[in-house]
Amino acid sequence: MSNKVFKTAVEALEGLTFDGMVVMAGGFGLCGIPENLIGALRDSGAQNITAISNNAGVDGFGLGLLLETRQIKKMVSSYVGENKEFERQFLAGELDLEFNPQGTLSERIRAGGAGIPGFYTKTGVGTVIAEGKPTMDFDDEEYIMETGLKADVALVKAWRGDTQGNLQFKKTARNFNPMMATAGKVTVVEVDELVEVGSFDANYIHTPGIYVQRIIEAKCEKRIEQLTIRERA
Amino acid sequence: MSNKVFKTAVEALEGLTFDGMVVMAGGFGLCGIPENLIGALRDSGAQNITAISNNAGVDGFGLGLLLETRQIKKMVSSYVGENKEFERQFLAGELDLEFNPQGTLSERIRAGGAGIPGFYTKTGVGTVIAEGKPTMDFDDEEYIMETGLKADVALVKAWRGDTQGNLQFKKTARNFNPMMATAGKVTVVEVDELVEVGSFDANYIHTPGIYVQRIIEAKCEKRIEQLTIRERA
Amino acid sequence: MAQGKGWSRDDMAKRAAQELKDGFYVNLGIGIPTLVANHIPDGVDVTLQSENGMLGMGPFPYPDEVDPDLINAGKQTITELRRSSYFNSAESFAMIRGGHIDISILGAMEISEGGDIANWMIPGKMVKGMGGAMDLVAGVKRCVAVMDHTNRAGASKFLPQCTLPLTGRNCIDMVITDLGVFSRGEGEARFRVTELAPDIEMDEVKAKTEADLDWSVL
Amino acid sequence: MAQGKGWSRDDMAKRAAQELKDGFYVNLGIGIPTLVANHIPDGVDVTLQSENGMLGMGPFPYPDEVDPDLINAGKQTITELRRSSYFNSAESFAMIRGGHIDISILGAMEISEGGDIANWMIPGKMVKGMGGAMDLVAGVKRCVAVMDHTNRAGASKFLPQCTLPLTGRNCIDMVITDLGVFSRGEGEARFRVTELAPDIEMDEVKAKTEADLDWSVL
């Protein structure tokens, strides 16, 4: 079997990065983001990146790292609220931004991976999101067409992966990761735990290895954005 | 919690069946079909049913039961090869038949459940399947539009289900069942094993209970269509 | 807990909670809607959806239960319940868009008399994004908006037309404000006053509402 | 195992197997393509997809391993491997349609010189349906058709245009028949003869081929 396992994040991105590339990065907020691969992408020095990611990280963490170094030219996101550097660059006109409703974004990514170039949705009808998009009526209701999204490289964070690239995700760290795994021309995954093939029950694999070209095991900081707790009585 | 658990297949279909109804039935061949619910649908006496199902069962088993009693008016399927009674009724003009490519059928059902009234696919371009369907070019390639599918009642077969309707499917008996669970106005499920809520690891639930309105535990025959074995050396 | 005239934030949340029926699957927005979880009526068992990929959202964790891989759509750490399930974002919004969530309770900046809602951007201010709001108002079976009836300057937020960019068109079924409850049935074009908050007179509501409502008696 | 002139069914399968590269994800159709699994070259490790919802299809079960919940797309009982994974039909065809399967090897009734394929229906005969064939030829990266070069009456099945209803248009990259191998590179319009079966002369191929091929030397 051709080997999918790489030792480090930097090695895993070797030969994949270039100026003007389109990158997808999994995660919701800071939950389930490919921390190490984002770091390696920064270190690659690739410029003018279009980054498709639900959020833009925070200052100095997650995609915030790539904003600091001005490597990102355009973000495709649904919510970017937690990042001052992002705001500064955007207001200064240094950064392009394309907002997508979260469900439209996730479905566009799924569609891109599934060979579906366009689909109709009610989301955004009558809003700025609909501007310039084809529409069609179904049962006398108006829908807008959204297109599939693909990336040159998808950066994915999973919980456990085997050496064939079969993946399992943990709790809400799953989020955008499984769809992005399908939508990258090359998909690179970092996992908390790399296991031997056959470790998983085949009924409970979230992402089959067919979608994964490269995989590394790497330790994540897993920073918490909003620590909310209750006290024991 | 409103109770989703019913005792028998007949009780589980109580009040849901009517003449002219659209039914989805899960399964691929005879694998993963809702045997007991199909039997109860036959017993309900509902006529002029439109049945959306990848296959049409075999003579005297699966949807073959409903063909024998002439309760099915139209089938929406991808392959109907294993059923003589089907062939007889079709050739006699007693039965309507709409062929869908298997991937188009499964995606149409997913779309129906996901609030997507139409999507574009390359499957079937240049074939009879494309006739009369809207087309659109993406990147200079032609695609055809397919529509989402819904049903009045979806009949689903799962392996294990909990009393909230959370489901797990077994091996290739999963097939069309999870999508159909999302596309029924009412979804009724039969499981090999009904378990208490909390029995499943929340990471490995295939179908969340939100899609399931009624559930029964029932024994299946699980007939094998093509027994193929090898001998031990 | 009403202080003086009309409803407090917590009162509005409590009133909104009465829209929850046993067995409902529910999505709660940020702000006042979050408080709804504290007021779910006795005997009513609902399942909360978090659009980042979870059904059966549990309470905040005890300090030793905190898991960075388990957060809600507000990015707060939470816990799971026995009924919980996790799924990816595409499945989460397939659930929302496909009309499987029974009710969404969400905050609003403006509501129009035709049921439009604006709650995601103010032109000229930094825009953070709509997140899942546009998907929720377009897809969920029943949408209940909770907001103050007027802004700080005293101007009505219940308007003939929204002045702010829309989140969704003709999608709100009920509006709960500090002054009362405004609702319309399925297929009805206009809202009616269906309930007044304590010590609120209809005249005050009329004076503070620019939207053209059906002002027939309660 | 060639018997006399040209390739036998098994020879064709063996030749098709040489198109499999290490690490490939592969979908094999019914008939001759099924035999390909018996001829996978040493050192080449491939993963077989079964479009009913499985990657990593294993061999037929021993009698005590038979599981009615585990079948392939031909409805035969099979087994799983250590690498196997299961998924639903929508995901299976998302995988196919999205171009993630490296190669599909499938039977054909007719192939046109433009790479069209017909393999699902004969007008006037009972039509069983296309199953997943239209999705496979439209979606898989590389499609190899395996068929007899002529029909029983001796007429060419490699034609200027298919006479039977199409399964897919301009989607076949290689044709393997009992007479040889016909292929075209990505973006190339015409097929070339790239290999002749044992004891087959180019003249015989030309005589039995109605399609207009690029007849330049091998």
Side-chain angles (χ1 to χ4, degrees):
Chain A
M1 196 69 185
S2 55
N3 182 37
K4 296 183 177 184
V5 180
F6 287 68
K7 279 199 180 133
T8 67
V10 168
E11 287 172 55
L13 290 192
E14 186 78 35
L16 301 181
T17 59
F18 56 92
D19 293 351
M21 71 189 297
V22 178
V23 174
M24 287 179 182
F28 179 90
L30 301 182
C31 180
I33 62 173
E35 295 180 21
N36 295 280
L37 293 169
I38 290 170
L41 180 58
R42 178 197 54 194
D43 296 346
S44 79
Q47 301 293 320
N48 290 319
I49 292 170
T50 295
I52 301 170
S53 176
N54 189 57
N55 311 95
V58 296
D59 291 293
F61 198 70
L63 289 181
L65 293 177
L66 292 166
L67 290 162
E68 269 178 8
T69 53
R70 313 277 185 98
Q71 286 170 272
I72 296 180
K73 181 189 185 302
K74 180 180 178 180
M75 288 285 319
V76 180
S77 304
S78 87
Y79 192 83
V80 295
E82 326 295 352
N83 197 310
K84 290 269 175 250
E85 176 60 18
F86 182 101
E87 188 166 337
R88 198 199 58 67
Q89 289 182 27
F90 178 70
L91 294 175
E94 298 166 17
L95 188 67
D96 291 342
L97 175 57
E98 179 189 314
F99 276 128
N100 280 215
Q102 195 174 326
T104 294
L105 181 61
S106 57
E107 188 67 17
R108 289 184 71 191
I109 298 166
R110 179 193 178 273
I116 293 174
F119 62 90
Y120 291 92
T121 174
K122 221 191 297 182
T123 300
V125 170
T127 76
V128 294
I129 290 301
E131 285 172 13
K133 289 178 183 159
T135 64
M136 195 177 282
D137 282 9
F138 296 87
D139 286 334
D140 293 325
E141 280 215 72
E142 184 184 344
Y143 291 78
I144 59 176
M145 196 192 82
E146 297 281 358
T147 56
L149 282 176
K150 286 189 181 188
D152 295 304
V153 176
L155 305 181
V156 165
K157 163 72 187 177
W159 180 20
R160 294 190 283 229
D162 71 22
T163 52
Q164 291 261 349
N166 292 308
L167 305 179
Q168 292 183 327
F169 300 90
K170 190 180 158 201
K171 302 188 177 182
T172 57
R174 194 183 314 185
N175 56 64
F176 282 81
N177 284 296
M179 288 87 70
M180 289 183 174
T182 71
K185 286 179 203 161
V186 181
T187 292
V188 188
V189 183
E190 62 176 270
V191 294
D192 290 336
E193 205 183 324
L194 185 68
V195 300
E196 280 311 303
V197 171
S199 305
F200 298 141
D201 182 329
N203 287 300
Y204 306 125
I205 288 170
H206 295 129
T207 292
I210 189 172
Y211 296 113
V212 176
Q213 282 70 50
R214 301 183 181 189
I215 188 167
I216 59 163
E217 182 181 79
K219 204 166 165 46
C220 270
E221 179 186 333
K222 296 195 181 180
R223 201 181 283 187
I224 292 175
E225 220 162 329
Q226 302 248 14
L227 181 66
T228 46
I229 55 170
R230 57 178 171 158
E231 298 302 329
R232 289 194 191 278
Chain B
M1 196 72 186
S2 55
N3 182 36
K4 296 183 177 183
V5 180
F6 287 69
K7 280 199 180 132
T8 68
V10 169
E11 287 172 55
L13 291 191
E14 185 78 35
L16 302 181
T17 58
F18 55 92
D19 294 351
M21 70 188 298
V22 178
V23 174
M24 287 179 182
F28 179 90
L30 301 182
C31 181
I33 63 173
E35 295 180 21
N36 295 279
L37 292 169
I38 290 170
L41 180 58
R42 178 196 53 192
D43 295 347
S44 78
Q47 302 292 321
N48 290 319
I49 293 170
T50 294
I52 301 170
S53 176
N54 189 59
N55 313 95
V58 296
D59 290 294
F61 198 69
L63 288 181
L65 292 177
L66 292 167
L67 288 164
E68 270 179 8
T69 54
R70 313 279 185 98
Q71 286 170 274
I72 296 181
K73 182 188 184 305
K74 180 180 177 181
M75 289 283 321
V76 180
S77 304
S78 87
Y79 192 83
V80 295
E82 326 295 355
N83 197 310
K84 290 268 175 252
E85 175 61 16
F86 184 100
E87 189 167 336
R88 197 201 59 68
Q89 289 182 27
F90 178 70
L91 294 176
E94 297 166 18
L95 187 67
D96 291 341
L97 175 57
E98 178 190 314
F99 276 128
N100 281 216
Q102 196 174 327
T104 295
L105 181 61
S106 57
E107 189 67 17
R108 290 183 72 192
I109 298 166
R110 179 193 178 272
I116 292 174
F119 62 90
Y120 291 92
T121 175
K122 220 191 298 182
T123 300
V125 170
T127 77
V128 294
I129 290 301
E131 284 172 15
K133 289 177 182 159
T135 64
M136 196 178 282
D137 282 10
F138 297 86
D139 286 335
D140 293 325
E141 281 215 70
E142 185 184 344
Y143 292 78
I144 59 177
M145 197 190 82
E146 297 281 358
T147 55
L149 282 176
K150 286 188 180 187
D152 294 306
V153 176
L155 305 182
V156 165
K157 163 71 186 179
W159 180 20
R160 294 190 283 230
D162 72 21
T163 52
Q164 291 263 347
N166 293 308
L167 305 179
Q168 292 183 326
F169 300 91
K170 189 180 160 199
K171 302 188 177 182
T172 57
R174 194 184 313 184
N175 55 65
F176 283 80
N177 284 295
M179 289 87 69
M180 289 184 174
T182 72
K185 286 179 202 158
V186 181
T187 292
V188 187
V189 183
E190 63 176 88
V191 294
D192 290 334
E193 206 184 322
L194 184 68
V195 299
E196 280 310 302
V197 170
S199 304
F200 297 140
D201 182 331
N203 289 299
Y204 308 125
I205 288 170
H206 295 131
T207 292
I210 189 171
Y211 295 113
V212 175
Q213 282 72 48
R214 301 184 181 189
I215 187 167
I216 60 162
E217 183 180 79
K219 202 163 167 49
C220 270
E221 180 186 333
K222 296 194 182 180
R223 199 180 287 186
I224 291 174
E225 218 161 330
Q226 302 249 14
L227 181 65
T228 45
I229 55 169
R230 56 178 172 156
E231 298 303 329
R232 288 193 192 278
Chain C
M1 299 289 172
Q3 301 167 333
K5 271 177 61 177
W7 278 328
S8 68
R9 286 164 56 89
D10 210 49
D11 293 333
M12 287 190 263
K14 192 172 176 182
R15 177 59 191 82
Q18 289 173 35
E19 298 303 310
L20 307 182
K21 303 279 175 276
D22 194 39
F24 265 23
Y25 293 87
V26 179
N27 187 290
L28 300 178
I30 312 286
I32 299 174
T34 304
L35 304 174
V36 170
N38 304 328
H39 297 288
I40 296 167
D42 285 346
V44 171
D45 182 38
V46 300
T47 301
L48 300 180
Q49 199 234 23
S50 189
E51 66 262 30
N52 53 319
M54 182 185 200
L55 273 169
M57 195 176 12
F60 295 144
Y62 294 117
D64 57 354
E65 288 178 332
V66 170
D67 183 344
D69 291 323
L70 179 47
I71 65 170
N72 65 17
K75 285 149 196 166
Q76 299 170 310
T77 48
I78 51 166
T79 54
E80 71 177 40
L81 303 171
R82 289 169 61 80
R83 74 180 60 176
S84 298
S85 56
Y86 301 105
F87 31 85
N88 68 45
S89 301
E91 287 175 31
S92 182
F93 283 91
M95 195 179 282
I96 289 168
R97 199 188 305 105
H100 302 282
I101 307 282
D102 293 293
I103 193 168
S104 168
I105 300 177
L106 67 168
M109 296 170 178
E110 293 177 347
I111 301 289
S112 82
E113 62 190 41
D116 301 347
I117 178 171
N119 72 349
W120 78 283
M121 76 173 282
I122 300 175
K125 288 208 182 178
M126 177 62 196
V127 182
K128 295 188 170 186
M130 71 291 286
M134 284 190 181
D135 308 283
L136 283 159
V137 297
V140 172
K141 281 181 203 158
R142 189 156 183 271
C143 291
V144 175
V146 182
M147 65 172 186
D148 291 329
H149 205 91
T150 53
N151 64 20
R152 285 174 195 185
S156 178
K157 296 168 69 174
F158 204 168
L159 299 164
Q161 294 294 331
C162 293
T163 65
L164 297 170
L166 293 188
T167 308
R169 196 172 68 186
N170 187 15
C171 52
I172 300 299
D173 302 287
M174 175 180 273
V175 184
I176 298 172
T177 77
D178 50 320
L179 302 187
V181 179
F182 308 82
S183 58
R184 54 177 188 167
E186 217 176 304
E188 287 180 10
R190 292 163 89 206
F191 288 86
R192 283 173 298 119
V193 185
T194 49
E195 208 172 318
L196 291 173
D199 303 318
I200 299 295
E201 301 293 330
M202 189 65 101
D203 284 346
E204 179 179 353
V205 176
K206 284 187 181 172
K208 290 183 170 173
T209 303
E210 282 188 39
D212 176 34
L213 309 189
D214 175 353
W215 292 107
S216 7
V217 202
L218 289 191
Chain D
M1 297 292 172
Q3 303 168 334
K5 268 177 61 176
W7 279 328
S8 68
R9 285 164 58 89
D10 210 50
D11 293 333
M12 288 190 261
K14 193 170 175 183
R15 178 59 190 81
Q18 288 173 34
E19 299 304 308
L20 307 182
K21 304 278 174 279
D22 194 37
F24 266 21
Y25 292 88
V26 178
N27 188 292
L28 300 178
I30 311 285
I32 300 176
T34 304
L35 303 175
V36 170
N38 303 330
H39 296 288
I40 298 167
D42 284 347
V44 171
D45 183 38
V46 301
T47 301
L48 299 181
Q49 199 233 24
S50 189
E51 66 263 29
N52 53 320
M54 182 185 200
L55 273 169
M57 195 176 10
F60 294 143
Y62 294 117
D64 57 354
E65 288 179 331
V66 170
D67 184 343
D69 291 323
L70 178 48
I71 65 170
N72 65 17
K75 287 150 196 164
Q76 299 170 310
T77 47
I78 52 166
T79 55
E80 71 178 39
L81 303 171
R82 288 169 64 79
R83 75 181 60 176
S84 299
S85 57
Y86 301 105
F87 31 85
N88 68 44
S89 302
E91 288 175 30
S92 182
F93 284 92
M95 195 178 282
I96 289 167
R97 199 188 305 105
H100 301 283
I101 307 283
D102 293 293
I103 192 168
S104 168
I105 299 177
L106 67 169
M109 296 170 179
E110 293 176 348
I111 301 289
S112 82
E113 63 190 38
D116 301 348
I117 178 171
N119 73 348
W120 78 282
M121 76 173 280
I122 300 174
K125 289 207 181 179
M126 177 62 195
V127 183
K128 295 189 169 187
M130 71 291 286
M134 285 191 180
D135 308 283
L136 283 160
V137 297
V140 171
K141 282 180 203 158
R142 189 155 183 271
C143 291
V144 175
V146 182
M147 66 173 186
D148 290 327
H149 205 92
T150 53
N151 65 19
R152 285 174 195 184
S156 181
K157 295 168 70 173
F158 204 167
L159 299 165
Q161 294 294 331
C162 293
T163 63
L164 298 170
L166 293 188
T167 307
R169 197 172 66 187
N170 187 14
C171 51
I172 300 300
D173 301 287
M174 175 180 272
V175 184
I176 297 172
T177 76
D178 50 318
L179 301 188
V181 179
F182 308 83
S183 58
R184 54 177 190 167
E186 216 174 304
E188 288 180 8
R190 293 162 88 204
F191 289 85
R192 282 175 298 121
V193 184
T194 50
E195 208 173 316
L196 290 174
D199 303 317
I200 300 294
E201 300 293 330
M202 189 65 102
D203 284 346
E204 179 179 353
V205 176
K206 283 187 182 172
K208 290 183 171 173
T209 304
E210 281 187 42
D212 177 33
L213 309 189
D214 174 356
W215 292 107
S216 9
V217 202
L218 290 191

